[in-house]
Amino acid sequence: MTDPFETVVAAELPDRFDDATVLLDVREQDEWDQGHAKGAVHMPLGEVSERLDEVDPDAEVYVVCRQGGRAVRVCQFLNQYGRDVIFVRDGMVGWQQSGRPTVAADGDEGSVY
């Protein structure tokens, strides 16, 4: 069975994120604090159902976690509520391996490892 949503690898993601193009990072707070993509929106997996209205149905939404497991679950959930989302299958590990920068909670260069 294939998933009903598009998938990409981190290297294929846009360079910038805004209200129309969202990178939804569903990792836990400590992971986010260690390093995340500039402009990403943080929404830990456990908060997605209560924050569903924050996911703009008209935005292009990419969902990312560390390596893909949590992100695919969030994509499945959001799809059930009519949100078209794009699964980042290699996660933030792929993001960093492709040489893309991260920022930490303190504003310094981050690391997802």
Side-chain angles (χ1 to χ4, degrees):
M1 181 177 123
T2 59
D3 292 313
F5 40 82
E6 184 179 345
T7 65
V8 298
V9 294
E12 298 170 345
L13 288 170
D15 292 328
R16 297 187 57 203
F17 302 101
D18 53 32
D19 290 342
T21 305
V22 176
L23 180 62
L24 185 65
D25 189 326
V26 299
R27 296 175 301 148
E28 295 301 316
Q29 187 67 49
D30 62 323
E31 295 171 292
W32 169 266
D33 290 346
Q34 290 174 17
H36 55 272
K38 184 177 180 179
V41 173
H42 186 222
M43 188 180 298
L45 172 65
E47 297 177 12
V48 172
S49 62
E50 64 195 42
R51 295 175 60 187
L52 179 63
D53 61 335
E54 295 178 37
V55 180
D56 184 347
D58 297 323
E60 183 174 52
V61 179
Y62 296 89
V63 183
V64 69
C65 65
R66 181 169 161 71
Q67 293 182 310
R70 290 171 282 184
V72 76
R73 290 174 35 206
V74 170
C75 286
Q76 291 165 341
F77 175 80
L78 293 174
N79 256 195
Q80 291 176 348
Y81 288 89
R83 304 306 198 277
D84 290 326
V85 294
I86 304 164
F87 169 55
V88 183
R89 68 176 173 259
D90 58 349
M92 288 303 294
V93 170
W95 175 277
Q96 196 167 39
Q97 287 175 342
S98 67
R100 302 189 78 171
T102 60
V103 293
D106 61 9
D108 289 339
E109 184 177 329
S111 172
V112 295
Y113 295 105

